[in-house]
Amino acid sequence: MNNMNLIPLYPEIFLLLAICVILLVDMFLADDKRNITYVLSLLSLTVCGALTMLNSDGGTVYISSNMFVSDPMSNLLKLFSYIAVGVTLIYGRQYVADRGMTSGMLGGEFYVLALFSLLGQMIMISGNNLLIIYLGLELMSLSLYALVALRREHTLSTEAAMKYFILGALASGFLLYGISMLYGATGTLDLSAIAKAAASPTANKTILVFGIVFVVSGLAFKLGTVPFHMWVPDVYQGSPTAVTLLLGGAPKLAAFAICFRILVEGLFPRAVDWQQMLMVLAVLSMAIGNITAIAQTNLKRMLAYSTISQMGFMLLGLLSGVSNGNINLAADAYSASMFYSITYVLTTLGSFGVIMLLARSGFEAENLSDLKGLNKRSPWFAFVMLLLMFSLAGIPPLMGFYAKLSVLQAVLASGQIWLAVLAVLFSLIGAFYYLRVVKLMYFDEPADQGVIVADTDMRIVLSVNGLAVLALGLMPDSLMTACSAAIVKTLAS
């Protein structure tokens, strides 16, 4: 541990400086030169990835009075966050340009706000202090609020932004109130010190439990789990699709990270309290998410309810790590949950990528009917979408199958057989609406005869995205081993 060592902060410092440079450069760019902002954004992400990899020596370093931590888990999640945001920018470049989101008065704000949201996620992932985690969360949230409202003339987007902002402010209040109660009970905001204080027999259990209730409520909102899910369908549908992907992609990795930091690293001595809460959230999310998704005709709303159910499944891994203090069981459960989060993000990137591929100026491919006959219009991208839907449904040999299997193994290892049975049943229900998409693509006549036009970079990345989901399903050991090693080393630090 070296509090004066700023090397672990280099990715965050560089990204902040890069954002400032991009803002200045963008001021002098004409609309037809806006691609320079796009290229600079991707270059910034590449450099951040290189800096993070150079810092990935397998050790744990605390800096800034233990408020910031660099460990294997944070480095791995940051790398996937860079990938998620970079892929989103590639998918969304033509989409946002066609809708005037990078021209006129708006300029390059889309790219700058996307990078600011990423900076907030990086701070959340590496936060070792409740106040730092909260500041990162607010930086991410405020950037996303602005992104949702970027199309000011679009009624649905404005409505979605208002809902997201009001409910997000309420959730932030819950989280901040919970943090204040934890501070009152423990006298500290440092997660390591909170863990020691929570384990003390003299700790005020009543205030601790009330604090946990409010903190978990705030975290549940950011994850979009039931009963704090009311914003997800409306915001997903109302936002421009590129912004929807910025909402539903990388932030889920940061949300997993803060759940792990606060609940596991900070409040593990009180796990008996938050485990029961997560169990209720998980079961309700899988039930309502999967059942409600069946009734949706809007593809983005269907994927929103899918997200709710997927986050419920991810919580199963987190709550299964609490079992008689068995550290090996805990590591397996948390690594399964982390693997599931990464799987969800990679699959979601491709799913919304296909939606943006089918969209064009003046037309949003948002309805299920817009996918009819896709196999006749583009057999390759219909196949890519098939892989993504099968993965979300948990059908072998896709990545999603192995992710669900690893979580279910963790649940069974913790002795909660009934919970595993429920998870399987709700997954079977969920398979219906994923397979419905495949049926529309392969067995229905095209409703739209328009030519699918997309840039080469988007076609290549979307193809790689789909094939990666297949490859990581056939050979999941490398990523699963990386997740397991990261969690084990993080828990041991």
Side-chain angles (χ1 to χ4, degrees):
M1 181 174 71
N2 182 359
N3 279 320
M4 299 303 294
N5 180 13
L6 291 180
I7 293 177
L9 265 174
Y10 281 178
E12 285 79 5
I13 293 171
F14 172 80
L15 184 58
L16 179 59
L17 293 175
I19 291 171
C20 295
V21 170
I22 291 171
L23 266 173
L24 288 173
V25 171
D26 188 74
M27 288 174 59
F28 301 98
L29 293 177
D31 288 346
D32 59 348
K33 301 292 184 182
R34 200 66 65 192
N35 275 347
I36 294 176
T37 306
Y38 163 75
V39 172
L40 288 176
S41 300
L42 292 183
L43 285 175
S44 301
L45 294 174
T46 304
V47 175
C48 284
L51 290 172
T52 301
M53 291 182 71
L54 289 173
N55 188 46
S56 302
D57 58 0
T60 298
V61 180
Y62 295 89
I63 61 174
S64 301
S65 301
N66 292 348
M67 290 192 291
F68 187 95
V69 60
S70 173
D71 55 25
M73 186 192 79
S74 66
N75 291 330
L76 186 60
L77 288 176
K78 284 179 186 177
L79 287 174
F80 277 100
S81 296
Y82 305 149
I83 292 171
V85 173
V87 169
T88 302
L89 296 185
I90 293 171
Y91 289 165
R93 178 167 69 96
Q94 190 60 48
Y95 179 91
V96 297
D98 288 343
R99 283 145 190 82
M101 294 167 62
T102 55
S103 59
M105 291 181 62
L106 291 176
E109 275 83 349
F110 171 78
Y111 298 108
V112 171
L113 288 169
L115 294 179
F116 265 127
S117 72
L118 174 63
L119 180 60
Q121 293 158 35
M122 294 164 69
I123 295 171
M124 291 164 65
I125 290 170
S126 284
N128 192 52
N129 180 287
L130 290 175
L131 192 57
I132 296 300
I133 290 174
Y134 181 76
L135 290 174
L137 179 65
E138 287 305 292
L139 175 58
M140 178 192 77
S141 298
L142 290 171
S143 302
L144 294 176
Y145 298 153
L147 280 166
V148 174
L150 209 54
R151 294 180 70 186
R152 288 175 293 180
E153 78 291 347
H154 196 256
T155 307
L156 274 180
S157 294
T158 307
E159 179 187 347
M162 287 295 292
K163 289 178 180 177
Y164 189 33
F165 175 72
I166 293 170
L167 293 173
L170 182 64
S172 294
F174 279 161
L175 186 60
L176 199 57
Y177 188 58
I179 288 173
S180 68
M181 297 189 81
L182 292 180
Y183 179 73
T186 62
T188 180
L189 294 171
D190 182 88
L191 291 177
S192 303
I194 287 175
K196 292 177 182 177
S200 170
T202 60
N204 190 320
K205 302 295 191 295
T206 303
I207 297 180
L208 267 177
V209 170
F210 270 105
I212 290 170
V213 169
F214 281 102
V215 166
V216 171
S217 298
L219 295 177
F221 177 90
K222 296 305 174 184
L223 285 169
T225 52
V226 178
F228 305 97
H229 68 293
M230 64 290 291
W231 64 275
V232 180
D234 291 340
V235 174
Y236 271 44
Q237 181 183 4
S239 304
T241 306
V243 176
T244 303
L245 189 48
L246 284 172
L247 281 167
K252 301 305 181 187
L253 298 175
F256 165 80
I258 61 173
C259 286
F260 183 86
R261 297 286 185 207
I262 296 175
L263 300 180
V264 177
E265 293 189 341
L267 293 168
F268 194 80
R270 305 303 307 170
V272 66
D273 297 314
W274 57 257
Q275 181 192 33
Q276 305 302 317
M277 293 182 64
L278 294 191
M279 192 177 297
V280 173
L281 293 173
V283 172
L284 289 177
S285 297
M286 289 187 295
I288 294 176
N290 282 314
I291 294 171
T292 312
I294 293 174
Q296 305 306 311
T297 57
N298 183 282
L299 185 56
K300 286 165 70 174
R301 285 188 77 88
M302 188 200 83
L303 289 174
Y305 283 107
S306 166
T307 296
I308 294 168
S309 67
Q310 300 285 351
M311 289 300 100
F313 218 100
M314 186 273 290
L315 289 179
L316 292 180
L318 279 176
L319 67 90
S320 299
V322 184
S323 180
N324 301 323
N326 187 328
I327 189 66
N328 292 323
L329 177 61
D332 289 343
Y334 300 140
S335 58
S337 188
M338 181 176 172
F339 182 84
Y340 196 93
S341 300
I342 294 171
T343 298
Y344 161 79
V345 170
L346 291 179
T347 313
T348 298
L349 287 171
S351 302
F352 281 99
V354 172
I355 295 176
M356 283 186 274
L357 176 78
L358 299 178
R360 56 185 182 273
S361 183
F363 174 74
E364 300 285 346
E366 290 187 354
N367 296 313
L368 288 171
S369 58
D370 296 325
L371 291 173
K372 285 183 176 180
L374 180 58
N375 183 52
K376 295 182 179 178
R377 299 173 61 200
S378 176
W380 172 248
F381 287 111
F383 175 68
V384 168
M385 190 63 163
L386 177 144
L387 293 176
L388 297 166
M389 291 297 104
F390 277 11
S391 181
L392 286 170
I395 297 174
L398 281 306
M399 189 182 183
F401 168 75
Y402 191 82
K404 287 183 185 293
L405 179 63
S406 59
V407 170
L408 289 173
Q409 287 174 333
V411 175
L412 290 172
S414 67
Q416 301 173 99
I417 298 174
W418 67 272
L419 200 53
V421 172
L422 274 180
V424 172
L425 288 175
F426 288 130
S427 293
L428 288 173
I429 294 172
F432 171 80
Y433 57 85
Y434 295 124
L435 294 177
R436 180 175 58 187
V437 172
V438 176
K439 177 260 181 188
L440 290 171
M441 293 190 301
Y442 281 88
F443 298 104
D444 285 25
E445 290 298 317
D448 179 11
Q449 300 292 342
V451 178
I452 297 176
V453 180
D455 294 330
T456 303
D457 55 352
M458 180 181 184
R459 289 177 176 270
I460 293 173
V461 174
L462 185 54
S463 300
V464 172
N465 194 165
L467 292 176
V469 170
L470 175 60
L472 288 170
L474 294 170
M475 299 173 289
D477 289 347
S478 56
L479 181 55
M480 190 67 207
T481 301
C483 291
S484 181
I487 292 294
V488 169
K489 291 176 181 177
T490 300
L491 289 174
S493 62

